[in-house]
Amino acid sequence: MKKIDAARQNMREALEAIDELGIQADRNKAELSMLATAIAAANDQKSTLITEAQALEALKAIETEAARKALGVPTKAQRWAERGIAVLPGVLGSYVASVLWQMTWPQ
């Protein structure tokens, strides 16, 4: 009789453990569902933020270009063109001076 009572007690404890596992599984399922919803919302927000960041980058480029034009800051190509124009007369002047020197005082 004692063995039967012990077996019944073990059976009750096993059933209670199974019930607890079922409750925990339901909780985990609910948490998983909430996490899936949160992930979906975060992905939507990520897409929105990426779009906004791209719009801000475009605006920054426009503002930079407008400020450059307003202040008269030359572009990289304009700076190199100015340097080339500045060097060319110096090279030509040096060449003309050396030719005149050779014509005036031949060796």
Side-chain angles (χ1 to χ4, degrees):
M1 194 62 157
K2 287 183 182 182
K3 288 186 179 183
I4 293 175
D5 288 337
R8 284 184 185 159
Q9 181 62 28
N10 287 340
M11 182 73 90
R12 266 189 235 117
E13 289 175 3
L15 290 174
E16 287 174 5
I18 290 173
D19 288 342
E20 280 185 38
L21 287 174
I23 291 169
Q24 186 62 38
D26 289 341
R27 284 185 197 143
N28 289 345
K29 190 187 291 185
E31 287 179 17
L32 184 60
S33 176
M34 288 182 352
L35 287 174
T37 302
I39 288 171
N43 281 334
D44 289 344
Q45 188 178 15
K46 177 184 173 186
S47 298
T48 302
L49 291 174
I50 287 172
T51 303
E52 288 177 6
Q54 289 170 344
L56 288 174
E57 285 293 324
L59 184 60
K60 179 181 119 183
I62 290 170
E63 287 180 357
T64 302
E65 184 65 20
R68 187 193 61 74
K69 285 181 180 178
L71 297 174
V73 177
T75 63
K76 198 175 220 181
Q78 289 171 335
R79 281 183 278 175
W80 280 105
E82 289 173 0
R83 289 175 187 154
I85 291 170
V87 168
L88 186 61
V91 171
L92 288 175
S94 176
Y95 178 74
V96 169
S98 70
V99 168
L100 288 175
W101 179 269
Q102 290 294 324
M103 290 173 61
T104 308
W105 292 284
Q107 293 185 342

